[in-house]
Amino acid sequence: MQKIRSGTLAALFLGSILSPALSYAAPASDAAIREAALKDDVAWSITEGLTTEVGPRPAGTAREALARDWSVAKLKALGFSNVRAEPYIMPVWERVRDEAHIVSPFPQNLVIAALGNSGTTPEQGIEGEIVYFPSIADLQAAPDASVKGKIVFVSHDMVAAQDGSGYGYYGAARRQGPSIAAKKGAIGILVKSIGTDHHRIAHTGVQMWADGVTPIPAVALSVPDAEQLARVVARGKPVRVHLTAVSKTLKDQPSGNVIAEIPGSDPKAGVIVAACHLDSWDQGTGAIDDASGCGIVAAAALHVGKAGKPRRTIRVLFAGAEEVGGDGGRAYFAAHGKEPHALVMESDFGADKVWRADFTLPAGQEALSARIGAALAPLGIVPSRDKAHGGSDIEPLVEAGVPVIDLQQDGTRYFDIHHTPDDTLDKVDPAQLRQNVAAWAVTLNLAANAPETLGVN
């Protein structure tokens, strides 16, 4: 059989998806909603307001509580129905002070940021010899005796990608590295930031301790500092580092979700959840992660509502405490998981343009994905053959079998900014933000009004 080139195969695949849509008479409102959304200013007003009037919103803190109050007032003012906060409690980790420097052989400061749930050093810090591993696999393979009593330094080779695909693989150094080092007897761990920039800023992020592990100080090094430390180690002399990473953990602190709705006309058709997360890390103002996502989903839902009452209720979920492990998504599922859900979607990958749509819909719903694909095409978005998986805030619903659509954003620069002090409003491009709103609006409109039976649980 003649070998089919990948480009030809892709063209055949896209043709098979889009061809049914050629005979589908799209509602006039689809084009109108798309064009109106390309002029939207609501998403920007939410993103700008959260980052300016609230700023950083660490989970379980007074700043996150202020963000909930701000969001409830904003969503009510925008005309949403059934707007409310739904509280829950959770443990909270708080950063107090992060400092590090090379003591010998070449004394100099290091730029660090403690990872979420890091163990704390004493106020005066700790000092130890560095043991270097180019990857987490090297750390895993190391004899315990080579690590015991030392400060581990783990590197990696993450590079930028449009789909952000390296994050899951290379992020293991941050997520599992501290537990592995602690089990081997390390007194602390430095992890090269899980990021793709070369700015002298460190990328924080959560890590969870494995069962039975005693937490040790765990910090991220800025990428330039990690490369510098690797060069120092390569000189072949013993390297000693002084590390201060003071933090504290508080029990039973208040957090919560914010919910708002565009009511539908058919309760039996199920609810569509459009999710984002309200909390952020403490270093920046959480603009791309994830104030912009909240702006996108709220603005898109409003555009659908302005076009007329949809068949299905669109429920906007501003989830709390996503950054520290998805507490908001689990709390939502505990409160609403038994309600009928037709579809879930989430925006949590910045604000750069949507370029691809992934679908996990019930069998036989190819016509709906084709209609959505046709409506997205004028925005430069193509459907893929990959399955949609959603994100942390909707993960429990997806695991329960609720259909999901992913509108994939261009993540080429996302991990330059993610979890750093650089996550600020100036990184949001208003034109690309509006393209996101338009993509979300036409998708929500078609899904909310689809005559098909979706995955109501």
Side-chain angles (χ1 to χ4, degrees), residues 347-372:
S347 181
D348 183 19
F349 197 42
D352 284 354
K353 66 180 181 180
V354 177
W355 65 283
R356 192 183 85 195
D358 302 337
F359 301 89
T360 300
L361 299 179
Q365 304 300 354
E366 291 80 7
L368 174 58
S369 59
R371 296 199 300 273
I372 292 172

Side-chain angles (χ1 to χ4, degrees), residues 140-220:
Q140 287 175 311
D144 292 2
S146 69
V147 173
K148 187 174 178 63
K150 297 181 180 179
I151 297 176
V152 165
F153 167 37
V154 179
S155 191
H156 62 82
D157 297 309
M158 183 177 173
V159 296
Q162 187 177 28
D163 62 358
S165 55
Y167 183 61
Y169 178 79
Y170 292 108
R174 185 193 82 205
R175 294 188 302 269
Q176 285 86 49
S179 289
I180 295 169
K183 285 180 180 179
K184 290 178 179 291
I187 61 171
I189 180 171
L190 310 176
V191 177
K192 180 181 180 182
S193 282
I194 310 302
T196 51
D197 65 304
H198 273 80
H199 296 158
R200 204 175 182 201
I201 52 178
H203 298 237
T204 190
V206 75
Q207 54 82 41
M208 301 295 186
W209 298 104
D211 291 343
V213 171
T214 300
I216 59 175
V219 307

Side-chain angles (χ1 to χ4, degrees), residues 327-349:
D327 295 70
R330 289 191 296 273
Y332 176 86
F333 188 77
H336 301 281
K338 293 182 180 179
E339 297 173 15
H341 287 83
L343 180 73
V344 287
M345 299 176 63
E346 181 171 357
S347 181
D348 183 19
F349 197 42

Side-chain angles (χ1 to χ4, degrees), residues 130-337:
I130 288 292
V131 55
Y132 172 58
F133 300 102
S135 71
I136 189 172
D138 295 310
L139 170 61
Q140 287 175 311
D144 292 2
S146 69
V147 173
K148 187 174 178 63
K150 297 181 180 179
I151 297 176
V152 165
F153 167 37
V154 179
S155 191
H156 62 82
D157 297 309
M158 183 177 173
V159 296
Q162 187 177 28
D163 62 358
S165 55
Y167 183 61
Y169 178 79
Y170 292 108
R174 185 193 82 205
R175 294 188 302 269
Q176 285 86 49
S179 289
I180 295 169
K183 285 180 180 179
K184 290 178 179 291
I187 61 171
I189 180 171
L190 310 176
V191 177
K192 180 181 180 182
S193 282
I194 310 302
T196 51
D197 65 304
H198 273 80
H199 296 158
R200 204 175 182 201
I201 52 178
H203 298 237
T204 190
V206 75
Q207 54 82 41
M208 301 295 186
W209 298 104
D211 291 343
V213 171
T214 300
I216 59 175
V219 307
L221 275 169
S222 79
V223 172
D225 284 87
E227 293 176 348
Q228 177 79 328
L229 185 56
R231 287 190 291 269
V232 172
V233 170
R235 293 296 195 268
K237 299 178 180 180
V239 179
R240 295 189 67 81
V241 165
H242 188 276
L243 171 63
T244 303
V246 180
S247 61
K248 59 183 178 180
T249 301
L250 307 172
K251 295 182 179 180
D252 297 335
Q253 298 301 298
S255 185
N257 298 327
V258 173
I259 288 175
E261 294 177 342
I262 302 294
S265 61
D266 184 359
K268 295 181 180 179
V271 172
I272 293 177
V273 172
C276 62
H277 67 84
L278 195 54
D279 65 309
S280 76
W281 284 104
D282 54 323
Q283 298 196 99
T285 59
I288 68 160
D289 188 19
D290 187 32
S292 57
C294 291
I296 289 163
V297 302
L302 278 179
H303 282 287
V304 177
K306 289 176 182 177
K309 195 178 189 72
R311 179 187 176 204
R312 295 179 173 89
T313 292
I314 299 173
R315 180 177 292 163
V316 171
L317 168 63
F318 287 12
E322 184 274 345
E323 293 290 4
V324 294
D327 295 70
R330 289 191 296 273
Y332 176 86
F333 188 77
H336 301 281

Side-chain angles (χ1 to χ4, degrees), residues 378-457:
L379 296 169
I381 302 165
V382 296
S384 81
R385 64 176 65 193
D386 293 343
K387 292 290 187 181
H389 300 286
S392 297
D393 301 311
I394 57 174
E395 183 177 2
L397 290 165
V398 174
E399 289 180 347
V402 178
V404 57
I405 297 174
D406 290 338
L407 296 179
Q408 300 285 8
Q409 294 152 302
D410 186 339
T412 305
R413 69 182 185 124
Y414 182 75
F415 292 109
D416 289 357
I417 304 164
H418 174 255
H419 294 182
T420 74
D422 251 1
D423 185 2
T424 49
L425 183 65
D426 57 297
K427 309 309 184 301
V428 178
D429 179 346
Q432 294 191 70
L433 184 69
R434 292 188 182 101
Q435 189 259 12
N436 272 263
V437 175
W440 269 78
V442 296
T443 301
L444 286 176
N445 184 55
L446 285 163
N449 291 296
E452 290 93 344
T453 298
L454 294 177
V456 180
N457 60 9

